[in-house]
Amino acid sequence: MKIKLFLLIDFITTIIITSYVYFTNEVDVAINTGLSIFIAFSPIGLIFASPVVLQMARRVLDKEGIKINRLKALENFLDIDTVAVPLNRFLTDGDYFVTDLVPVGLSQQALLGMAATAEQKAEHSLGRVIYKTAAGRGLKISNIASSAEVPGKGIEVVANGSSIRVGEPAWVESQGVAVGNSLLTKIDKLCVYGKTVLVLGIGRMARGIIALKDDVNFDAKEFLMLLKRNKFITVLLTATGKKTAKSLAKNFNLDAVKTNLSPAEKAREVQILRAQGHSVAFVTNENTDMPALAVADVSIFLQQQNLSPLITEDENLDARAERNLAELKAELAKTSLDDEDDDVDKPSEESAPVENADAEKPVETIADIEIPTLKKFFVIRDTVTRAADLIKTNRYITYLSWIILLPLCLANILPNPPFKFEPLMAVCGVAVCLLLITLNSMRMRKIKD
């Protein structure tokens, strides 16, 4: 917008002065003066003031292992006052493990096996942990006829003629599954200890709960501490329930906590923050958070992944578990989503399920910036601060060139000019200005630690 304004001023100034010289002097003097002023007063220096510095900044950050996908993000970075982060696999280390199995009318092994049956095609990290735990114990995992996952809420499958749901207590209840008071009391107690609780529902009845826990990510804790020290507002956006999230978040001294959010709802919360006048950076390491990344002022993707893949070739499982995993691979290869029985309760259309047939497709990272570790956030900030100073200097160089060149252009209209200022001289003056801007921008490479 500023560049367009300067172009308009340049054009109007040229027209006014050229018209004056035309009526008070010779035609060739008017033409030379008009061309000289148009060239000398052009905002080309302002146009090149930022891109050259930002390209240099990108090279500096690239050496730090930081990938800049959108240069505009560097310009927006200094305006950031709010940093939003997720919980799972970010503030916590992502190494979840099952801590509690509370069955209702089932054995603990049956509870875990049924949950693993539902989660065998799940994208969510908690589902993968449940599946891996059951497989590692050699539990029976049934084949499924269909699978539908609601991101951030839970999963619903059809297996052995029954509808099985595993997910957050509130979501499972919203699907018409009755969760008894004794289970609700147990869920509250587990959440107070910072555990994540999932409910297993078979048909219309809850058949048990599974509690998982992981440890605090001390890198993330240090990161948030540094953010607070640098006057950033910190906001937690998570799909986890309120009690669990509040219990975990108290370790991080966060300014705000938003819970029970789906990926789309996280994006809505980011938009609300922006509507309130905040400039928001969203930092995550989960592809499921892409909707929130897409609407943030600056989106940052943490390349570091804490949770190991679901099945690896060198996994240290016992012989029985290895045989079970081999059988599962064979069964899953034969499974078709078209084998669904019409007489069986199908997943509700209201849950807007995401078919897991697309789960294996790679998700394109659309983040503005990709960083290898959280500490690189502050490397970006320091680099951008340095870049902003150089951009300001480049603008001053442009303003100085105007101050020098414009009086020389106007010398042509004097009665007895000491010399004739030609448009070519104005071109040389602008070229010198651009050279100085380039040399100043090259200082970006000498950034201090």
Side-chain angles (χ1 to χ4, degrees), residues 41-60:
F41 197 46
S42 69
I44 189 169
L46 296 180
I47 294 173
F48 283 92
S50 298
V52 179
V53 175
L54 293 177
Q55 286 291 353
M56 292 295 176
R58 171 185 270 175
R59 293 184 182 181
V60 170

Side-chain angles (χ1 to χ4, degrees), residues 364-385:
E364 182 182 358
T365 300
I366 58 173
D368 300 327
I369 303 172
E370 297 177 42
I371 57 177
T373 64
L374 288 173
K375 290 183 179 179
K376 296 299 183 181
F377 178 94
F378 300 98
V379 174
I380 299 172
R381 185 202 58 181
D382 294 340
T383 303
V384 170
T385 301

Side-chain angles (χ1 to χ4, degrees), residues 188-239:
D188 289 342
K189 289 181 179 179
L190 292 170
C191 289
V192 168
Y193 290 104
K195 297 181 180 181
T196 300
V197 181
L198 302 178
V199 174
L200 169 71
I202 302 177
R204 298 300 177 186
M205 293 295 296
R207 293 300 183 183
I209 57 177
I210 301 174
L212 303 96
K213 186 175 177 59
D214 64 344
D215 297 321
V216 170
N217 185 337
F218 289 100
D219 288 339
K221 190 170 184 178
E222 182 183 1
F223 171 65
L224 289 175
M225 180 185 69
L226 291 172
L227 287 176
K228 296 287 287 184
R229 187 181 299 170
N230 286 276
K231 310 302 182 184
F232 287 97
I233 300 170
T234 53
V235 180
L236 174 64
L237 304 179
T238 177

